[in-house]
Amino acid sequence: NAGVTQTPKFQVLKTGQSMTLQCAQDMNHEYMSWYRQDPGMGLRLIHYSVGAGITDQGEVPNGYNVSRSTTEDFPLRLLSAAPSQTSVYFCASSYVLAGRTGELFFGEGSRLTVL
Amino acid sequence: AQKVTQAQTEISVVEKEDVTLDCVYETRDTTYYLFWYKQPPSGELVFLIRRNSFDEQNEISGRYSWNFQKSTSSFNFTITASQVVDSAVYFCALSGTASGSRLTFGEGTQLTVNP
């Protein structure tokens, strides 16, 4: 039972490089999301999706791109990495019930450093 | 917009003390979910509880208890007889329909339990 799988767990980038953080879930959850966690700032929502083909911006979407071609996968793309994107990234999924998201199931996190 | 406030940034207690973590929320929804998550030093996010806004009964699970008060928009978390293993960052979160199923987190409370 894999749950939510994120790869890679660690990545170092140079400013201006691009990369994709992969996220996959095997629970048939409609809702998927990406958060970043920075010291003293809690978890901030980057992008989210309520189903295949549907994505929307969260609180801090600039510099990131997402797509949801399947229910299982929700990759996060950094278009041109900047030092301000150094953070720990969490992917999470959940069911949706009556328009409200249930408890989130989180991946283990991906620690990204941009030099 | 919905908002979650955890005013206590850090709390330090001695083992066996009781400790309460405060959570105050704002939402325009009449129905919503409230959550608590734990993030131990290892970094993963662990789901603790979900509460539906219709259910104002307090909940107890072992040494953990939750006090939900709609009148004051609060969902406080108490750990009784704290232990060193309770040391973690604790997040309160809110999910409603007005914000399109997004889950909004508070900034977290760092709890340190000293032996």
Side-chain angles (χ1 to χ4, degrees):
Chain A
N1 190 7
V4 179
T5 303
Q6 282 182 239
T7 55
K9 289 188 170 41
F10 301 94
Q11 183 72 48
V12 179
L13 290 177
K14 293 181 180 178
T15 297
Q17 287 185 318
S18 62
M19 77 156 297
T20 299
L21 296 175
Q22 301 291 344
C23 177
Q25 53 94 5
D26 61 359
M27 297 171 282
N28 202 31
H29 284 164
E30 301 153 280
Y31 181 89
M32 295 187 75
S33 55
W34 278 100
Y35 288 86
R36 60 177 288 174
Q37 184 177 21
D38 302 293
M41 302 191 77
L43 290 154
R44 293 185 293 168
L45 182 63
I46 305 171
H47 285 285
Y48 67 102
S49 168
V50 296
I54 305 169
T55 63
D56 207 345
Q57 296 181 351
E59 182 185 354
V60 288
N62 292 340
Y64 306 95
N65 205 353
V66 293
S67 59
R68 183 97 179 267
S69 56
T70 67
T71 299
E72 295 79 17
D73 299 303
F74 191 46
L76 178 72
R77 297 181 187 84
L78 280 70
L79 309 173
S80 177
S84 60
Q85 294 178 303
T86 294
S87 187
V88 179
Y89 292 85
F90 287 96
C91 179
S93 73
S94 180
Y95 55 88
V96 177
L97 188 62
R100 293 180 298 283
T101 307
E103 60 268 26
L104 290 178
F105 293 76
F106 283 90
E108 293 182 344
S110 298
R111 184 174 294 275
L112 175 67
T113 301
V114 183
L115 303 175
Chain B
Q2 53 191 31
K3 184 179 179 182
V4 176
T5 301
Q6 295 178 255
Q8 305 151 308
T9 304
E10 296 182 21
I11 300 176
S12 182
V13 300
V14 177
E15 205 169 20
K16 298 185 182 176
E17 284 186 19
D18 298 348
V19 58
T20 295
L21 309 181
D22 297 332
C23 173
V24 174
Y25 62 92
E26 297 174 27
T27 181
R28 292 176 296 179
D29 288 325
T30 55
T31 58
Y32 46 88
Y33 288 139
L34 292 162
F35 306 83
W36 276 95
Y37 285 84
K38 174 182 180 180
Q39 187 176 41
S42 52
E44 74 272 24
L45 285 149
V46 179
F47 165 73
L48 295 178
I49 190 171
R50 182 190 78 198
R51 172 63 70 207
N52 187 309
S53 56
F54 285 130
D55 182 1
E56 288 193 70
Q57 282 190 338
N58 291 333
E59 174 127 357
I60 298 175
S61 176
R63 295 184 297 105
Y64 295 172
S65 62
W66 290 269
N67 184 329
F68 175 34
Q69 291 195 335
K70 247 177 153 174
S71 60
T72 55
S73 296
S74 65
F75 187 44
N76 297 338
F77 173 30
T78 297
I79 301 174
T80 303
S82 60
Q83 300 176 0
V84 173
V85 293
D86 295 327
S87 296
V89 180
Y90 290 87
F91 291 99
C92 181
L94 167 69
S95 167
T97 52
S99 297
S101 301
R102 289 178 292 181
L103 203 69
T104 300
F105 283 81
E107 294 182 357
T109 298
Q110 170 71 61
L111 173 65
T112 302
V113 181
N114 298 298

